[in-house]
Amino acid sequence: TGFSRCLATTGEGGAIPEEYEAIYAKDRTETVSAVWLGLTTGCAACHDHKFDPISTKEFYSLTAFFRNTTMQAMDGNDAAHPPVVFVPAAADRERWDAVAGEIAGAGKTLAERGTAAQADFQNWVATAKIEAPANAESALALHLPLTEADGPLKGIVDGQPHEWAANLSRVAAPTGAAPVLSTPVELGDFGSFARGDQVSYGCFVRVEGAPNGAVVARMDPPHGYRGWDLFLQNGHPAAHVIDTWDQAADRIESAEALTPGEWHHVMVTFDGTRPGPEALALYVDGVKQSTALTPKTLGGTIETNVALRLGSRQGGDSTLNGPVAIQDLRFYRRLLPEQEISALANSATLGRTLAMPAAQRSKEQNEALFRYYLANVDEPSRALRSKLDALKNEQMAIKNQGTTTLVMEEKPELPFAHVLTRGIYSDKADKVEAVTPAALPPMAADAPHNRLGLAKWLADPTNPLPARVTVNRTWYYFFGTGIVETTEDFGIMGSRPSHPHLLDWLAAEFTGSKWDYRHMLKLIVTSQTYRQSGAVSPEKLEKDPMNRLLSRGPRYRLDAEEIRDLALSASGLLSTKVGGPPVKPYQPEGIWEAVAMKESNTRNYKADMGESLYRRSIYTFWKRTAPNPTMEILNAPTRESFCVRRERTDTPLQAFVTLNDPQFVETSRRLAENALKASADFDTRLDQTTLPLLARTFAPDERQIVRQTLDEALASFRADPAGAAKFIATGETVPDKSLDVPELAAWTLVASQVFNLDETLNK
């Protein structure tokens, strides 16, 4: 089961030797120390063995601690499945808390103004006339009233007037005349939004029959239909938000069709801060519709370079096939609440409502007039709403710079589990509560029976296991091999410690320092053992070939992430940014696509641009079924299962990666650029290349070898300038145009060779 109690210790007759008493038995009972010692050493220090295994029921009782989370097993492929916590960037944390308070205060003030404005509203309503809704806020990024009787279409974009030539017929509309979209109209580079944005867009629509096609769209059909639209499907209003159709997209459609010959207000809201199935909503005449959502696979990229169009998508795709008239087209860079959408929808009927005697108006009609007044007439309300919008936009900007992290949350009830007959998850037997095995010391009487209580039980000072495992793993990080070589297994199947008393002392020092991990790191790296030379003599090689006796300083190949980060750091490309969402560096094409399911939201891989290409490897987006090939070839685990100790292999593929991967070629070129800019002298340039990688300069004989390599490479690249230019063009960063191309290519080759030395790639 993996949980056994060793009743024997390293002493005779079960007694604890003096050295263990000194470490563990102070202020503790001999019985407790003996039990914990047997468990923690995992028999690696024992000479005699007798085991008391736990029962199947106890095993499942222990698993109960880990099945008490509120997170559902089926998470809908949602990366932010609750429970989650938003983590703002370090620079935004203070402002994040403040802006939330300011939003709450502004909302309260706006509500208070709604009460105070009643008297002003009564004065206004006595003589008011309803006009087309005004362009009265910064969040209204695009507004086309579309009330012209003829001539060009006119509107406001980001506060500036625009005109668009259009030869369209007009029909009577709620306000003035309205154009019939008989031919598509290109509006331009407007209405773009990102996956994490909040937007609202829509207009008044009148159809004849049951037309199909795009009413308004910013969508690129040749490139997976990326973008968004407001669409008609047999007269049913619909909307798309697409990364790549249909692998990464959402489509929403109203269950009811628009009534032919009548004007309807249609509005779409998109909340990119919510999971895909909850992001899209559709309103008709101010009422949220019952909709069908497909295929529920919305991806991470929406932006496209094509223009915003009326009456079709880019290239004439999905051109409207029947008479469709529109008016009052609006695109907001905020999420409109339902009451505002209702006010917009009702603006066409408010004029008739005002013409009625006040005594004949219904409660709903008066409320609609009041909402209109607050949104379009009352200056204090409009100013407060603009302030609130600005605060929400600031909050959204902060949110886009931060990230969301998954957290664990305990259910309020006591955890339980079922014994599974022969381990079959569907064959449940007895129900058991969360308890620790009887063979081990019990949990404290006042400890909660949840993961917190279990953690306190494990970290009890009488239990040296966490300290021993931690310091052994730390030793492995610095020396390449743990004191117990099987860092992942302290049980009877694991290795015995090479230096048992050293392991004991380090564990005692760790607990004695109150779990000060930084103290332990400093202790190890300043030790005489760690600071030994890595040089090996024939005598040491014969007596200690694997350095298990620590006869010399550690030497082993760096891990995959360390190799990549070393190259980025030495070249000056490494981003020092801390935190944020995962990034996608260079990767060969087709890897994700080959293994992804049709509905996967990571079906397509698109490398990032700019700083994201040069983030530390810890931030690399990891797809377990298709990990980054550079990392995998250099023995990074796939993360499909837990890994404590990595394999280290030496294969030709690893050399192909460090010599030819675009990331490493680019970093070598940047390192060469830095050297060429530093000096015209060969020796100085070489020092500028070796110092960031090796922390030393080359000896005279080594310099001679490099000079010979450089001369040969330079001659080759001067004979093939096109090949030299192609070589240094690798990567997103642009080569320095002031440098000689063949010379830069030759020094890039030199930098690559220095990087590929064993001395560079090994600790």
Side-chain angles (χ1 to χ4, degrees):
T1 63
F3 287 85
S4 300
R5 175 167 66 98
C6 179
L7 300 181
T9 68
T10 52
E12 296 296 329
I16 300 176
E18 291 182 2
E19 59 267 29
Y20 288 100
E21 281 284 3
I23 296 171
Y24 299 116
K26 184 179 180 181
D27 298 326
R28 303 163 194 154
T29 65
E30 181 175 290
T31 303
V32 170
S33 298
V35 169
W36 277 123
L37 180 62
L39 174 66
T40 59
T41 58
C43 298
C46 295
H47 302 293
D48 192 16
H49 307 280
K50 182 178 179 181
F51 294 96
D52 183 13
I54 68 172
S55 67
T56 300
K57 187 174 182 179
E58 286 179 313
F59 171 79
Y60 284 103
S61 293
L62 194 63
T63 67
F65 285 103
F66 303 99
R67 64 176 304 277
N68 201 40
T69 176
T70 58
M71 177 177 282
Q72 300 174 359
M74 302 298 289
D75 63 6
N77 205 23
D78 178 14
H81 188 281
V84 296
V85 171
F86 172 68
V87 183
D92 294 330
R93 288 173 189 171
E94 183 176 350
R95 183 57 187 157
W96 172 256
D97 294 332
V99 77
E102 292 178 23
I103 287 174
K108 181 180 179 182
T109 305
L110 185 62
E112 291 171 350
R113 175 56 194 169
T115 301
Q118 281 289 345
D120 294 336
F121 167 68
Q122 294 300 331
N123 293 332
W124 170 83
V125 77
T127 58
K129 292 183 179 180
I130 298 296
E131 298 178 354
N135 179 11
E137 56 167 300
S138 59
L140 183 53
L142 176 70
H143 183 208
L144 278 70
L146 302 177
T147 58
E148 304 85 5
D150 54 30
L153 307 180
K154 298 180 180 181
I156 304 294
V157 180
D158 293 326
Q160 301 299 317
H162 278 69
E163 289 189 3
W164 298 270
N167 185 20
L168 302 174
S169 60
R170 264 67 169 188
V171 296
T175 304
V180 178
L181 300 180
S182 52
T183 57
V185 179
E186 183 173 311
L187 300 180
D189 185 13
F190 311 123
S192 178
F193 62 90
R195 173 63 177 87
D197 290 346
Q198 292 178 317
V199 298
S200 307
Y201 58 89
C203 57
F204 284 95
V205 181
R206 194 188 81 165
V207 303
E208 297 294 342
N212 292 283
V215 177
V216 56
R218 179 163 180 156
M219 189 173 289
D220 189 0
H223 295 89
Y225 288 87
R226 178 168 292 172
W228 61 270
D229 69 8
L230 172 58
F231 194 79
L232 291 173
Q233 182 71 41
N234 296 324
H236 292 247
H240 299 82
V241 177
I242 299 174
D243 182 334
T244 302
W245 184 265
D246 59 350
Q247 294 85 7
D250 273 353
R251 179 184 186 276
I252 192 170
E253 180 181 330
S254 172
E256 301 293 332
L258 301 179
T259 303
E262 295 186 8
W263 283 98
H264 295 277
H265 185 261
V266 181
M267 181 67 74
V268 179
T269 62
F270 175 76
D271 186 354
T273 66
R274 300 180 67 82
E278 302 175 22
L280 270 175
L282 181 66
Y283 296 81
V284 176
D285 295 331
V287 179
K288 190 174 182 179
Q289 297 297 290
S290 173
T291 55
L293 180 69
T294 56
K296 302 180 183 180
T297 57
L298 184 58
T301 304
I302 298 170
E303 302 98 317
T304 176
N305 294 326
V306 302
L308 182 66
R309 298 172 66 86
L310 300 178
S312 78
R313 297 168 179 162
Q314 182 71 13
D317 182 87
S318 298
T319 298
L320 287 168
N321 63 358
V324 176
I326 69 170
Q327 193 171 68
D328 195 30
L329 173 64
R330 293 170 174 247
F331 179 92
Y332 290 85
R333 294 202 174 279
R334 68 179 176 92
L335 204 64
L336 292 188
E338 189 165 353
Q339 59 269 27
E340 285 192 55
I341 296 174
S342 177
L344 286 172
N346 293 330
S347 63
T349 61
L350 290 179
R352 292 192 295 271
T353 301
L354 276 174
M356 298 170 58
Q360 296 181 14
R361 296 175 195 149
S362 66
K363 178 183 177 181
E364 291 74 16
Q365 287 173 323
N366 281 319
E367 289 177 349
L369 286 172
F370 186 55
R371 287 195 298 268
Y372 175 87
Y373 171 77
L374 292 178
N376 296 276
V377 179
D378 185 52
E379 287 298 334
S381 294
R382 291 169 62 186
L384 287 169
R385 192 173 300 282
S386 294
K387 178 182 178 181
L388 185 60
D389 290 341
L391 288 170
K392 289 183 177 180
N393 288 338
E394 182 184 2
Q395 187 182 53
M396 181 56 60
I398 294 174
K399 195 163 188 177
N400 290 338
Q401 293 171 186
T403 189
T404 299
T405 184
L406 303 176
V407 296
M408 302 298 286
E409 181 182 31
E410 294 277 357
K411 293 179 180 178
E413 60 268 22
L414 289 175
F416 67 90
H418 287 91
V419 175
L420 304 180
T421 305
R422 301 184 65 82
I424 300 172
Y425 72 89
S426 59
D427 193 353
K428 296 179 180 179
D430 296 341
K431 181 179 179 179
V432 293
E433 296 181 351
V435 294
T436 54
L440 302 176
M443 296 177 66
D446 60 346
H449 277 249
N450 53 26
R451 283 189 302 276
L452 176 60
L454 184 67
K456 291 180 176 179
W457 176 73
L458 284 171
D460 190 289
T462 61
N463 174 16
L465 176 60
R468 291 168 64 84
V469 169
T470 302
V471 298
N472 186 69
R473 194 175 300 175
T474 304
W475 192 271
Y476 156 73
Y477 293 148
F478 283 109
F479 287 86
T481 305
I483 298 171
V484 175
E485 184 175 4
T486 53
T487 53
E488 74 284 3
D489 188 352
F490 265 54
I492 60 172
M493 300 300 291
S495 301
R496 293 172 179 250
S498 60
H499 300 73
H501 298 297
L502 173 61
L503 181 60
D504 295 339
W505 183 82
L506 287 170
E509 181 71 20
F510 191 26
T511 54
S513 68
K514 297 182 179 179
W515 310 94
D516 189 340
Y517 192 66
R518 184 167 295 185
H519 164 70
M520 298 307 298
L521 298 183
K522 184 177 180 180
L523 187 68
I524 292 175
V525 299
T526 57
S527 68
Q528 183 179 351
T529 304
Y530 181 77
R531 291 187 293 171
Q532 292 181 97
S533 168
V536 55
S537 65
E539 293 79 13
K540 289 181 178 180
L541 189 61
E542 180 180 357
K543 294 181 180 180
D544 187 19
M546 304 303 293
N547 200 29
R548 295 296 287 127
L549 302 179
L550 305 174
S551 61
R552 56 190 178 274
R555 185 181 185 277
Y556 57 89
R557 197 196 67 211
L558 298 173
D559 287 328
E561 296 89 343
E562 295 167 342
I563 291 175
R564 179 176 175 272
D565 290 359
L566 169 64
L568 291 170
S569 177
S571 67
L573 283 172
L574 183 67
S575 167
T576 58
K577 178 181 176 183
V578 175
V583 295
K584 298 173 183 176
Y586 301 116
Q587 177 173 297
E589 295 180 358
I591 293 178
W592 282 18
E593 292 80 354
V595 300
M597 294 181 289
K598 183 179 180 180
E599 64 273 15
S600 173
N601 62 355
T602 56
R603 181 178 177 85
N604 302 297
Y605 188 91
K606 181 181 179 182
D608 282 321
M609 301 176 66
E611 182 186 22
S612 295
L613 283 173
Y614 313 109
R615 297 292 306 277
R616 291 170 57 207
S617 299
I618 192 174
Y619 297 112
T620 296
F621 190 104
W622 202 270
K623 186 178 176 74
R624 284 178 294 181
T625 55
N628 184 280
T630 296
M631 299 291 103
E632 187 175 26
I633 289 171
L634 292 171
N635 298 127
T638 63
R639 305 186 192 180
E640 291 177 284
S641 58
F642 185 74
C643 177
V644 174
R645 182 171 51 138
R646 296 189 178 190
E647 294 182 349
R648 286 194 178 93
T649 62
D650 293 295
T651 70
L653 280 177
Q654 293 165 354
F656 285 139
V657 166
T658 54
L659 284 167
N660 300 301
D661 184 281
Q663 193 90 83
F664 294 121
V665 175
E666 183 179 21
T667 55
S668 296
R669 190 247 299 160
R670 283 297 295 263
L671 193 58
E673 287 182 8
N674 297 339
L676 291 177
K677 292 177 184 178
S679 174
D681 176 64
F682 167 80
D683 289 321
T684 304
R685 288 177 172 179
L686 184 56
D687 293 345
Q688 291 290 321
T689 303
T690 61
L691 282 170
L693 292 171
L694 303 174
R696 73 174 181 90
T697 58
F698 274 175
D701 58 334
E702 295 173 316
R703 292 178 184 274
Q704 185 59 38
I705 295 173
V706 174
R707 183 178 287 277
Q708 180 180 347
T709 301
L710 177 65
D711 291 343
E712 293 175 357
L714 187 56
S716 176
F717 283 125
R718 291 212 184 279
D720 182 16
K726 184 178 180 180
F727 178 49
I728 65 172
T730 302
E732 188 187 65
T733 57
V734 179
D736 192 324
K737 292 183 170 61
S738 66
L739 299 175
D740 179 68
V741 172
E743 187 174 30
L744 177 57
W747 274 100
T748 299
L749 187 62
V750 168
S752 177
Q753 290 185 342
V754 174
F755 175 74
N756 277 274
L757 291 174
D758 278 353
E759 185 180 348
T760 304
L761 301 179
N762 284 266
K763 184 178 182 300

